[in-house]
Amino acid sequence: MNILSELKSRFRIVLSELVEDPAELLSMIRPAQDAKFGDYQANIAMPLGKTLGKPPREIAAEIVGKLDLNDICEAAEIAGPGFINLRLKDDWLVERLNRAVGDERLGVATASDPRTYVLDYSSPNVAKPMHVGHIRSTVIGDALCRTLRYLGHRVISDNHLGDWGTQFGMIIYGYKHFVDQSAYEAAPVPELSRLYKLVNQLVDYHNAQSAFPTLENELRARSAAAESLRNQAPTDDKAAEKKKKKELRKLEEKANEARESIASANAKLAVVTSDSQLCETATQHINIATNVLEETAKLHRGDSENRRLWDEFLPKCRDEIQKLYDRIDIEFDFEYGESFYHERLANVVEEFEKDGLAKESEGAICVFLDGFDAPMIIRKKDGAFLYATTDLATVQFRMQEWCPDAILYVVDHRQGEHFEKFFAAAKLCGYPDVELCHVSFGTVLGDDGKPFKTRSGDTIGLEALLDEAVQRAYTVVSQGDDAKPNGPELGKDERRHIADAVGHGAIKYADLSHNRTSDYVFSYDKMLALTGNTATYLQYSYARVNGIFSKGAVDITKLRDGGAAIQVAERAERALALELLRFSDALADVIEDYRPNQLTSYLFQLTKVFFSFYEQCPVLKADEEKTRNSRLLLCDLTARTISQGLNLLGIKVVERM
Ligand code: ARG
């Protein structure tokens, strides 16, 4: 049962008599910040007072008079200027909790009107090795998928693999010019990765070189404009001065951007110039950027040689990625990928033109959208289709195939503009009602506050990252085990098994516990800490509860099924009971705005409340059998909630640590 939504539905009845749309007011009903204000608080009388022109306390009294909450809450209290404080009845709490004890779903109801969701996540470009940047989309998407399913929604997960883009032009070019055949035969994927990297470096080098003059001109123009603004004599016109300041700031920002682009271009040049052999190769392949595009175009035109190479490379690349997914427990219903839509792209463009939604401009076919400066190009001058064209074909296919109510795209925030435009275009072309949502996320940073890279400046491969987390987890687990008062309990194999769950869990949880829209700093030490908001802490707590059962030789399943019941006498017991019942609220919060960190925060809070209960209320040594059983069941529900919650985040628990 979802307490908050139950309270809201009761309030809705009363509020609908007072205002037309109570949605915003309902969002102001929240768990109380402080237990002394009860369990929940409704701060709605103040804003209502303004709308209705009445004193808030009077309104609060009127609402409380009409509210039918008798079965759930004690009499509501009105505090201060008009806060409505609610305290759940102990009997009600206990009754709900005892139902949860006997319920596999822990009292979490499934949605009364299930929706159909398509989730587009992970979606790596397959010719390159997966790196730390891919972790976010993969784990956030997976957590949302699991949570939505658990709540009874129909979810179709579709990995929109980048299996058709320029990256294939790069490895095809690389293969034709630079392959080390014996290395390829021995281990094809590492050799293809090497080729990708090499060609990418060369393309970057030549692109940087040709971009230099423009970048420098830009910097010069912006700095000059800023300088001349700075030199203007100040006037008394305050508004004009303010405007000037703002403009100056903008110009300075732009100049800085140009400086950064120059620095990044310089870095790309340095990669090649610092290596004489690479330098020579670069001179031999002056037109590499154009040639790579040409290889891609040939593939798209159906050139038999390039198609044969693509057919040979693709399964190898996909197998490599699959190994990673298997390792971290990621599954998809479908992996159509970009190549699947290739045949449909011409048709998409044609339909847009036919419906008058796209026009030719300087040879390219463009969709002009209200509210955007630049149009969305769907076919380039040379006839090539774009990422956006594929996304339009994909939305058509998904609508026809699955009729979803919502499609969620879990993709890096840097693609924000693409999605805004693409969503606007999708609405235009016949899908005005489907919820299209860019579940965007920030960057994984290193200690230096810059995108996480190795010392040599390479992005960090996902596999190496996971290996290191597991290895460090092994050390954490072993140290903990060695320090046990009665000596170590775990054999090597068990330690390894635990280290897998802890290491992979740490990486996933660190990502999920940050608000997805923020950047976060990647730190093994922080994510593997035994205290604080980490998976390790939750896994350890779960194992600790299990430890209570084994220490007391308690058969917890028997207790669960055998008529023992939870009671709440102590304050700490009640606090834990209430927190346990909030699991359902937390899950609702996750899907409200697609934020898994709502669940991590909840689990962390639950665990803290649990330990404060455990400190204050003896369990195995409780005075009476009834109390002991009740407390054991509270421990059990806590462990089950942690385990279920972590499961929804794609993280495993271990029975001991
Ligand atoms: N392959 C793309 C990339 O790596 C992400 C694709 C996201 N999904 C989509 N439908 N556009 O940037």
Side-chain angles (χ1 to χ4, degrees), residues 367-376 420-426 428:
V367 183
F368 290 88
L369 299 158
D370 285 344
F372 294 95
D373 293 341
M376 185 170 98
E420 278 177 32
K421 283 186 176 172
F422 151 54
F423 291 167
L428 276 184

Side-chain angles (χ1 to χ4, degrees), residues 184-365:
Y184 178 71
E185 266 148 39
V189 176
E191 177 60 6
L192 291 178
S193 301
R194 184 188 72 84
L195 293 173
Y196 172 79
K197 193 174 156 193
L198 171 64
V199 174
N200 201 26
Q201 281 171 340
L202 298 173
V203 168
D204 276 353
Y205 171 82
H206 286 296
N207 283 343
Q209 238 177 8
S210 46
F212 251 107
T214 328
L215 287 175
E216 278 175 338
N217 278 342
E218 242 171 54
L219 177 59
R220 224 171 291 127
R222 285 168 185 173
S223 311
E227 187 60 22
S228 97
L229 207 59
R230 234 176 271 124
N231 288 339
Q232 269 177 24
T235 63
D236 289 337
D237 183 345
K238 266 196 184 152
E241 283 300 305
K242 212 171 157 188
K243 202 169 145 205
K244 201 165 97 186
K245 252 198 187 151
K246 203 170 150 194
E247 216 169 301
L248 190 59
R249 220 179 305 132
K250 231 176 162 178
L251 279 170
E252 277 165 352
E253 256 170 43
K254 290 251 150 121
N256 269 338
E257 273 168 27
R259 254 178 231 117
E260 273 170 28
S261 307
I262 290 177
S264 129
N266 262 323
K268 283 172 181 164
L269 291 183
V271 169
V272 172
T273 49
S274 63
D275 177 330
S276 60
Q277 209 185 335
L278 208 53
C279 230
E280 207 184 306
T281 319
T283 359
Q284 286 159 358
H285 294 260
I286 290 194
N287 295 321
I288 189 166
T290 337
N291 292 341
V292 161
L293 288 181
E294 182 49 27
E295 294 295 2
T296 317
K298 269 164 73 183
L299 170 68
H300 291 177
R301 283 198 300 268
D303 172 87
S304 62
E305 170 67 357
N306 281 12
R307 187 63 202 227
R308 186 188 65 74
L309 289 174
W310 183 79
D311 281 333
E312 181 176 322
F313 298 156
L314 186 63
K316 298 187 181 5
C317 298
R318 287 182 70 149
D319 282 354
E320 192 69 9
I321 292 176
Q322 191 54 44
K323 264 195 252 159
L324 264 169
Y325 288 147
D326 290 344
R327 177 169 177 181
I328 55 173
D329 236 349
I330 303 287
E331 276 176 27
F332 297 95
D333 299 319
F334 298 97
E335 291 191 312
Y336 280 113
E338 292 179 5
S339 60
F340 175 76
Y341 299 98
H342 178 63
E343 298 291 316
R344 301 165 184 253
L345 301 182
N347 200 23
V348 168
V349 175
E350 224 168 80
E351 278 176 28
F352 264 81
E353 284 187 290
K354 197 180 73 205
D355 297 341
L357 300 170
K359 279 200 261 317
E360 197 194 303
S361 163
E362 294 171 37
I365 309 294

Side-chain angles (χ1 to χ4, degrees), residues 120-126 128 131 134 137 158-163 167 338 387-388 390-392 394-395 398 407-412 415 418-419 422:
D120 178 321
Y121 61 97
S122 196
S123 311
N125 294 333
V126 299
K128 332 177 187 176
H131 58 79
H134 292 111
S137 173
D158 182 13
N159 189 6
H160 192 67
L161 293 167
D163 57 0
Q167 68 275 22
E338 292 179 5
Y387 184 53
T390 307
D391 262 332
L392 286 169
T394 309
V395 85
R398 288 172 175 166
I407 309 181
L408 312 184
Y409 298 83
V410 189
V411 185
D412 192 319
Q415 294 193 24
H418 160 73
F419 281 106
F422 151 54

Side-chain angles (χ1 to χ4, degrees), residues 511-529:
D511 201 290
L512 296 166
S513 59
H514 289 91
N515 196 334
R516 63 174 165 77
T517 43
S518 330
D519 298 341
Y520 75 91
V521 175
F522 189 96
S523 153
Y524 287 114
D525 288 337
K526 270 199 195 139
M527 67 176 69
L528 285 163

